[in-house]
Amino acid sequence: MLNPKLLPPPTQTEPSKLAVWADQSGAPYLVKYQPDGSTTFTPLETALAQAQRQSTTPTERVTTDRDPLNVFLLGLVVVLGFVLGGYCLGFLAGAAGQRVVVVPRSPVCDIHRSSFLFWSSENKECN
């Protein structure tokens, strides 16, 4: 009778390079088929420990913190973009014939004086 812990051989058309087998005592092994035709048996616990050790190697940490110089340069580019955009918009508006002329003038003021006995007042209204 066959051992129930023994895994059956793989039934694939193309043989896999990795397989899991158990011996007569039920201990699992990772089986690696090498390209030269040889086969290596590694206890499954050892293979899993090696795989976990390889996966816990320190990787490069990605942070969202920005370098202060990068933040300053980015802000400078944004401010220059707004200034140059305003100049460009003004140039295009002038090229389209839309001109705005500001003529300074002195305000027109009316002075109202009133007096009653010893009391006098003066109101100034400017437009």
Side-chain angles (χ1 to χ4, degrees):
M1 177 159 218
L2 293 174
N3 186 353
K5 293 182 181 179
L6 186 64
L7 296 174
T11 56
Q12 298 175 351
T13 56
E14 184 178 313
S16 175
K17 294 185 180 197
L18 293 175
V20 177
W21 292 87
D23 62 2
Q24 294 295 332
S25 66
Y29 289 93
L30 179 66
V31 180
K32 291 183 186 177
Y33 298 104
Q34 304 297 334
D36 62 355
S38 64
T39 305
T40 57
F41 292 89
T42 309
L44 192 58
E45 291 178 7
T46 307
L48 290 175
Q50 289 174 352
Q52 285 179 350
R53 202 170 352 165
Q54 289 175 354
S55 66
T56 60
T57 57
T59 58
E60 184 177 337
R61 184 176 167 194
V62 178
T63 62
T64 57
D65 296 336
R66 298 197 185 276
D67 185 23
L69 179 63
N70 287 348
V71 172
F72 172 74
L73 292 176
L74 183 64
L76 186 65
V77 167
V78 168
V79 169
L80 287 176
F82 277 121
V83 169
L84 291 177
Y87 279 123
C88 182
L89 187 63
F91 175 76
L92 292 175
Q98 299 177 1
R99 302 198 186 276
V100 177
V101 179
V102 178
V103 178
R105 66 179 179 100
S106 61
V108 177
C109 297
D110 293 330
I111 299 172
H112 301 286
R113 292 186 183 120
S114 64
S115 62
F116 180 73
L117 295 177
F118 301 107
W119 183 268
S120 64
S121 65
E122 188 175 291
N123 290 336
K124 191 176 193 182
E125 294 178 11
C126 296
N127 294 329

Coordinates of all heavy atoms in Angstrom, one line a residue, residues 32-68:
K32 N 14.9 20.4 -6.5 CA 15.3 21.3 -7.6 C 16.0 20.5 -8.7 O 16.9 19.7 -8.5 CB 16.3 22.3 -7.1 CG 15.7 23.3 -6.1 CD 16.8 24.4 -5.8 CE 16.3 25.3 -4.7 NZ 17.3 26.2 -4.3
Y33 N 15.4 20.6 -9.9 CA 16.0 19.9 -11.0 C 16.9 20.9 -11.7 O 16.5 22.0 -12.2 CB 14.9 19.5 -12.0 CG 14.0 18.5 -11.4 CD1 12.7 18.9 -11.0 CD2 14.3 17.2 -11.2 CE1 11.8 18.0 -10.5 CE2 13.5 16.3 -10.7 CZ 12.2 16.7 -10.3 OH 11.3 15.8 -9.7
Q34 N 18.2 20.6 -11.8 CA 19.2 21.5 -12.4 C 19.2 21.3 -13.9 O 18.8 20.2 -14.4 CB 20.6 21.1 -11.8 CG 20.7 21.2 -10.3 CD 20.5 22.6 -9.8 OE1 20.7 23.6 -10.5 NE2 20.0 22.7 -8.5
P35 N 19.7 22.3 -14.7 CA 19.8 22.2 -16.1 C 20.7 21.0 -16.6 O 20.5 20.5 -17.7 CB 20.3 23.5 -16.6 CG 20.1 24.5 -15.4 CD 20.1 23.6 -14.2
D36 N 21.7 20.7 -15.8 CA 22.6 19.6 -16.2 C 22.0 18.2 -16.0 O 22.7 17.2 -16.2 CB 24.0 19.8 -15.5 CG 23.9 19.7 -14.0 OD1 22.7 19.6 -13.5 OD2 24.9 19.7 -13.4
G37 N 20.8 18.2 -15.4 CA 20.2 16.9 -15.2 C 20.2 16.4 -13.8 O 19.6 15.4 -13.5
S38 N 21.0 17.0 -12.9 CA 21.1 16.6 -11.5 C 19.9 17.1 -10.7 O 19.2 18.0 -11.2 CB 22.4 17.1 -10.9 OG 22.4 18.5 -10.9
T39 N 19.7 16.5 -9.6 CA 18.6 16.8 -8.7 C 19.2 17.1 -7.3 O 20.0 16.3 -6.8 CB 17.6 15.7 -8.7 OG1 17.2 15.3 -10.0 CG2 16.4 16.0 -7.9
T40 N 18.7 18.2 -6.7 CA 19.1 18.5 -5.3 C 17.9 18.4 -4.4 O 16.8 18.9 -4.8 CB 19.8 19.8 -5.2 OG1 18.9 20.8 -5.6 CG2 21.0 19.9 -6.0
F41 N 18.0 17.8 -3.2 CA 16.9 17.7 -2.2 C 17.3 18.6 -1.1 O 18.4 18.5 -0.5 CB 16.8 16.3 -1.7 CG 16.3 15.4 -2.8 CD1 17.2 14.7 -3.7 CD2 14.9 15.2 -2.9 CE1 16.7 13.9 -4.6 CE2 14.5 14.3 -3.9 CZ 15.3 13.7 -4.8
T42 N 16.4 19.6 -0.7 CA 16.6 20.5 0.4 C 15.4 20.3 1.4 O 14.3 20.3 0.9 CB 16.7 21.9 -0.1 OG1 17.6 22.0 -1.1 CG2 17.1 22.9 1.1
P43 N 15.6 20.2 2.7 CA 14.5 20.2 3.6 C 13.6 21.4 3.4 O 14.1 22.5 3.2 CB 15.1 20.1 5.0 CG 16.5 19.5 4.7 CD 16.9 20.0 3.4
L44 N 12.3 21.2 3.4 CA 11.4 22.3 3.1 C 11.5 23.4 4.1 O 11.4 24.6 3.7 CB 10.0 21.8 3.0 CG 8.9 22.7 2.4 CD1 9.3 23.1 1.0 CD2 7.5 22.1 2.5
E45 N 11.7 23.1 5.4 CA 11.9 24.2 6.4 C 13.1 25.0 6.1 O 13.0 26.3 6.2 CB 12.0 23.5 7.8 CG 10.7 22.9 8.2 CD 10.9 22.2 9.6 OE1 12.0 22.4 10.2 OE2 9.9 21.6 10.0
T46 N 14.2 24.4 5.7 CA 15.4 25.2 5.4 C 15.1 26.1 4.1 O 15.6 27.2 4.1 CB 16.5 24.2 5.1 OG1 16.7 23.3 6.2 CG2 17.8 25.0 4.9
A47 N 14.5 25.6 3.1 CA 14.2 26.3 1.9 C 13.3 27.5 2.2 O 13.5 28.6 1.7 CB 13.6 25.4 0.8
L48 N 12.3 27.3 3.1 CA 11.4 28.4 3.4 C 12.1 29.5 4.2 O 11.9 30.7 4.1 CB 10.2 27.9 4.2 CG 9.2 27.1 3.3 CD1 8.1 26.5 4.2 CD2 8.6 27.9 2.2
A49 N 13.0 29.0 5.2 CA 13.7 30.0 6.0 C 14.7 30.8 5.1 O 14.8 32.0 5.3 CB 14.6 29.3 7.0
Q50 N 15.3 30.2 4.1 CA 16.2 30.9 3.1 C 15.3 31.9 2.3 O 15.8 33.0 2.1 CB 16.9 30.0 2.2 CG 18.0 29.2 2.9 CD 18.6 28.1 2.0 OE1 18.1 27.9 0.9 NE2 19.7 27.5 2.5
A51 N 14.1 31.5 1.9 CA 13.3 32.4 1.1 C 12.8 33.6 1.9 O 12.8 34.7 1.4 CB 12.1 31.6 0.6
Q52 N 12.5 33.4 3.2 CA 12.1 34.5 4.0 C 13.3 35.4 4.3 O 13.1 36.6 4.3 CB 11.5 34.0 5.4 CG 10.2 33.4 5.2 CD 9.6 32.9 6.6 OE1 10.4 32.8 7.5 NE2 8.4 32.5 6.6
R53 N 14.5 34.9 4.5 CA 15.6 35.7 4.7 C 15.9 36.6 3.5 O 16.3 37.7 3.6 CB 16.8 34.8 5.1 CG 17.9 35.5 5.8 CD 18.9 34.5 6.3 NE 18.4 33.2 6.1 CZ 19.1 32.1 6.1 NH1 20.4 32.1 6.4 NH2 18.6 30.9 5.9
Q54 N 15.8 36.0 2.3 CA 16.0 36.8 1.1 C 15.0 37.9 0.9 O 15.3 38.9 0.4 CB 16.1 35.9 -0.1 CG 17.3 35.0 -0.1 CD 17.2 34.0 -1.3 OE1 16.2 33.9 -2.0 NE2 18.3 33.3 -1.5
S55 N 13.7 37.6 1.3 CA 12.7 38.6 1.1 C 12.7 39.7 2.2 O 12.1 40.7 2.0 CB 11.3 37.9 1.2 OG 11.0 37.4 2.5
T56 N 13.4 39.5 3.3 CA 13.5 40.5 4.3 C 14.8 41.4 4.2 O 15.1 42.1 5.1 CB 13.5 39.9 5.7 OG1 14.6 39.0 5.9 CG2 12.1 39.2 6.0
T57 N 15.5 41.3 3.1 CA 16.6 42.1 2.9 C 16.2 43.5 2.8 O 15.1 43.8 2.3 CB 17.4 41.7 1.6 OG1 16.5 41.8 0.5 CG2 18.0 40.3 1.7
P58 N 17.0 44.5 3.4 CA 16.5 45.9 3.4 C 16.5 46.4 1.9 O 17.4 46.2 1.1 CB 17.6 46.6 4.2 CG 18.8 45.7 4.2 CD 18.2 44.3 4.0
T59 N 15.3 47.0 1.6 CA 15.2 47.6 0.3 C 15.2 49.1 0.5 O 15.2 49.6 1.6 CB 13.8 47.2 -0.3 OG1 12.8 47.6 0.6 CG2 13.7 45.7 -0.5
E60 N 15.3 49.8 -0.6 CA 15.4 51.2 -0.6 C 14.0 51.8 -0.2 O 13.0 51.4 -0.7 CB 15.7 51.8 -2.0 CG 15.9 53.3 -2.0 CD 16.3 53.8 -3.4 OE1 16.8 53.0 -4.2 OE2 16.1 54.9 -3.7
R61 N 14.0 52.6 0.8 CA 12.8 53.2 1.4 C 12.4 54.4 0.6 O 13.1 55.3 0.3 CB 13.1 53.6 2.8 CG 11.8 54.1 3.5 CD 12.1 54.4 5.0 NE 11.0 55.1 5.5 CZ 11.1 55.7 6.6 NH1 12.2 55.7 7.4 NH2 10.0 56.4 7.1
V62 N 11.1 54.4 0.2 CA 10.5 55.5 -0.6 C 9.8 56.4 0.4 O 8.8 55.9 1.1 CB 9.6 55.0 -1.7 CG1 9.0 56.1 -2.4 CG2 10.4 54.0 -2.6
T63 N 10.1 57.6 0.5 CA 9.5 58.5 1.4 C 8.8 59.6 0.6 O 9.2 59.9 -0.5 CB 10.4 59.2 2.4 OG1 11.4 59.9 1.7 CG2 11.2 58.1 3.2
T64 N 7.8 60.3 1.2 CA 7.1 61.4 0.6 C 7.7 62.7 1.0 O 7.2 63.8 0.6 CB 5.6 61.3 0.9 OG1 5.5 61.4 2.3 CG2 5.0 60.1 0.3
D65 N 8.7 62.7 1.9 CA 9.3 63.9 2.4 C 10.1 64.5 1.2 O 10.8 63.8 0.4 CB 10.3 63.7 3.5 CG 9.6 63.1 4.8 OD1 8.4 63.4 4.9 OD2 10.2 62.5 5.6
R66 N 10.0 65.8 1.1 CA 10.7 66.5 0.0 C 11.9 67.3 0.6 O 11.9 67.8 1.7 CB 9.8 67.5 -0.7 CG 8.6 66.8 -1.3 CD 8.0 67.8 -2.3 NE 6.8 67.2 -2.9 CZ 6.8 66.4 -3.9 NH1 7.9 66.0 -4.5 NH2 5.7 66.0 -4.4
D67 N 12.9 67.4 -0.2 CA 14.1 68.1 0.2 C 13.8 69.6 0.2 O 13.1 70.1 -0.7 CB 15.2 67.9 -0.9 CG 16.5 68.5 -0.5 OD1 16.8 68.8 0.7 OD2 17.4 68.7 -1.4
P68 N 14.2 70.4 1.2 CA 13.8 71.8 1.3 C 14.3 72.6 0.0 O 13.6 73.5 -0.4 CB 14.5 72.3 2.5 CG 14.7 71.1 3.4 CD 14.9 70.0 2.4

